[in-house]
Amino acid sequence: MAKIPDFEHTSIESIAGLSKGVRDAFHTHKTRSVQYRLVQLRKLYWGLKDNEEAVLEACKRDLGKSQFETYLTELGWCMNDIIFMCNNLSKWTKDESAPDISLTNKLLAPKIKKDPLGTVLIIGAYNFPIQLSLGPFIGAIAAGCTAILKPSEHAPAAASVIQSIITQYLDPSAYTVVQGGVPETTALLEQKWDKIFYTGSAGVGTIIAKKAAETLTPVTLELGGRNPAIVTKHADIRLAARRLLWAKLVNAGQVCVSQNYILVDREVLSGFLGELENAMGEFYPQGARNSLDYGRIVNERQWQRLKKMLDESRGKILLGGTMDEKERFLEPTVVQVDDPTDSLIVDESFGPLIPVYPVKDLDEAIRLANEVHDTPLGIYPFGSKQEVTRVLNETRSGGASINEYVYSFRFSKALIMKAHVNFISGFFHASIPTLAFGGVGSSGQGAYRGKASFDTFTHRRSYTKTPGWMEGLLDVRYPPYKGKLRKYQKMNDLKPNFDRNGKERFSLLAWLLTFGGGTRGSAAKRYLLIVAICKFGNSDES
């Protein structure tokens, strides 16, 4: 068994000095070097690789996670993320030519430079203690920021392993870890930051956003939500049951993107509940309690919270319900509820509770989803193409995973591994490592993952170069202005292609110039296509 360092709170008195240290390191400008960033990322990769057993043991100790689940959602995820960053960093850091620049302004050679935001604070969460701490931390390193990482104190073993890796493998002047709870976090928030990245509850997120607002510090907030799943009468109910059950089994349901409740059309309710029971028996033949693949609730406080939610529910337990406080075990529990104000609907469970609410039709399902939480982190429709399109068009969410189709393609194991696919099918939009992920409204703001992790810690700094020879062309801006307005309007004003009623005017000349494409770029592509077709036709004739 790997040795896990003891969890020790950071001295509150030292936090101001630690913050100043990483800020001073940023002002040495060493983190602006792409090569420096690559070296730090590569060292972090080997830190994780060398401490693989410690990471697996820490997640087992904190959350009862199996080795497979820890590798899938924590260790392998972060290591792949580092390699993806390293492979793309040089490309991302290059200056970009600015888009949508007029011909006259092109003389100024406008570009966009990717500047690191500065010194950042990252506050992690307990449910995925490695991924949700190191994921944004990797983005901060890639962007050229210095950082203090504050892991969750509720997963102390994982927090200690993270601190050990960062201390041993990274530049200690630029990257450090602060351990502790509310007092230490409060002390951190008293410091000046160029960005705060927080993952956790909406309540704490609100406190952080208020504190950050005092110094106009930008924040990225990755929060939770009462995420709905919708199963229509046209859904594949076996597929829906397996995927939605799995989403509440991984990490014992302690997943911010898993569904909080399931809205099921009454016509398929009985069949859907039967498929849930079948899937439970298939996943855990000896029961969840006896399975090494099923985790535990992180601590007694969270276990008691979940028990209270279940006790206060007016719903009927159909499956599961076994609890053991000593083990922090809570069996996956399916509950049929008939009141939209039930505790299992209106509160975020963040655990293996699976409330099922029968609905008359899709109209009722969409209405209820919007009433319970109009900006959840995710939404999961199962149904026909037309039905899931309606769900997407008539709701809002941070992301969505559409589950309406069953494909029969067969893939070899080697091809699957090469494709770097994470098979987290219950909420696929949140499991693709290179797809931007984030909330909206009360489920969060900002996004990360893949290039978005680099972007969230980067300032896109626009700049121009005004050569001296242009001074004669720019004399229109200097006073006196008499007689210059008409000249300026001639040079600068755009002509509207619409009338006073908002209707678009048709211009034959414009259509011919753009070949119906609307822009010069589209016109060029269309003309090239016609030339290619004509050339191909002529070659056939010859």
Side-chain angles (χ1 to χ4, degrees), residues 392-404:
L392 291 183
N393 289 341
E394 297 177 25
T395 62
R396 292 182 293 165
S397 64
S401 290
I402 300 168
N403 294 275
E404 84 274 27

Side-chain angles (χ1 to χ4, degrees), residues 457-533:
F457 294 104
T458 297
H459 170 58
R460 292 173 62 84
R461 186 182 186 185
S462 300
Y463 70 92
T464 58
K465 297 177 182 178
T466 312
W469 60 262
M470 285 188 66
E471 191 65 12
L473 299 175
L474 299 174
D475 72 327
V476 69
R477 65 182 178 174
Y478 297 126
Y481 296 128
K482 185 176 180 180
K484 291 184 176 181
L485 180 58
R486 296 279 304 203
K487 180 180 178 183
Y488 175 79
Q489 290 174 328
K490 217 170 171 183
M491 290 169 54
N492 195 67
D493 285 5
L494 299 175
K495 302 263 187 241
N497 65 340
F498 49 86
D499 63 20
R500 291 178 178 275
N501 296 315
K503 295 181 179 178
E504 189 174 358
R505 290 172 177 155
F506 177 75
S507 169
L508 180 60
L509 178 61
W511 191 92
L512 290 171
L513 290 174
T514 64
F515 203 56
T519 64
R520 289 191 298 270
S522 297
K525 290 176 183 176
R526 294 185 179 196
Y527 278 118
L528 286 172
L529 180 61
I530 288 174
V531 169
I533 291 171

Side-chain angles (χ1 to χ4, degrees), residues 81 85 135-136 138-140 143 447-458:
D81 196 23
M85 287 286 183
I138 290 165
Y448 74 123
R449 302 269 176 86
K451 185 176 184 295
S453 293
F454 171 84
D455 291 338
T456 200
F457 294 104
T458 297

Side-chain angles (χ1 to χ4, degrees), residues 52-309:
E52 181 173 338
E53 288 187 12
V55 170
L56 296 173
E57 173 61 27
C59 290
K60 181 69 176 176
R61 190 178 298 184
D62 288 333
L63 289 147
K65 284 192 182 186
S66 67
Q67 289 192 0
F68 176 83
E69 197 171 295
T70 297
Y71 196 88
L72 177 73
T73 64
E74 308 268 15
L75 187 64
W77 181 294
C78 291
M79 290 166 66
N80 282 340
D81 196 23
I82 291 170
I83 293 173
F84 177 76
M85 287 286 183
C86 290
N87 289 343
N88 290 278
L89 190 57
S90 295
K91 175 178 64 178
W92 295 341
T93 55
K94 289 179 180 177
D95 291 0
E96 289 180 17
S97 294
D100 305 320
I101 303 299
S102 65
L103 185 61
T104 53
N105 286 328
K106 281 187 182 295
L107 298 173
L108 302 170
K111 291 187 180 297
I112 298 170
K113 181 178 174 59
K114 320 299 179 46
D115 275 355
L117 283 178
T119 299
V120 302
L121 171 64
I122 297 165
I123 304 174
Y126 70 77
N127 55 324
F128 294 98
I130 305 298
Q131 182 205 137
L132 298 183
S133 293
L134 292 185
F137 186 72
I138 290 165
I141 296 173
C145 297
T146 57
I148 285 183
L149 172 60
K150 197 294 195 175
S152 174
E153 71 277 17
H154 299 303
S160 296
V161 171
I162 287 172
Q163 182 173 24
S164 176
I165 291 171
I166 289 175
T167 301
Q168 291 181 52
Y169 287 81
L170 299 189
D171 180 351
S173 70
Y175 310 105
T176 193
V177 174
V178 166
Q179 303 280 29
V182 173
E184 291 78 11
T185 304
T186 302
L188 283 167
L189 292 175
E190 291 296 331
Q191 311 308 312
K192 177 68 179 79
W193 305 100
D194 297 301
K195 179 75 177 271
I196 298 173
F197 191 111
Y198 168 75
T199 304
S201 71
V204 176
T206 301
I207 294 169
I208 289 171
K210 285 182 178 178
K211 190 64 182 177
E214 294 177 6
T215 52
L216 299 179
T217 302
V219 294
T220 292
L221 301 175
E222 297 293 343
L223 311 177
R226 287 155 288 168
N227 311 315
I230 298 175
V231 180
T232 77
K233 62 184 177 182
H234 298 113
D236 181 328
I237 57 173
R238 180 178 181 274
L239 179 79
R242 289 170 62 82
R243 291 185 177 182
L244 292 174
L245 178 62
W246 179 88
K248 278 295 188 177
L249 299 180
V250 67
N251 207 26
Q254 297 165 106
V255 186
C256 59
V257 289
S258 65
Q259 78 280 356
N260 200 57
Y261 57 95
I262 308 171
L263 301 168
V264 184
D265 192 294
R266 290 185 187 277
E267 287 190 28
V268 296
L269 176 63
S270 177
F272 177 75
L273 293 173
E275 291 294 349
L276 280 177
E277 187 172 5
N278 292 339
M280 184 74 78
E282 181 183 341
F283 295 159
Y284 301 124
Q286 306 303 318
R289 187 170 192 170
N290 299 318
S291 173
L292 296 176
D293 298 327
Y294 185 69
R296 297 296 184 264
I297 305 305
V298 67
N299 55 37
E300 184 179 354
R301 177 187 168 198
Q302 295 301 325
W303 188 91
Q304 289 289 353
R305 178 186 61 80
L306 288 163
K307 181 179 183 299
K308 184 171 183 284
M309 283 183 69

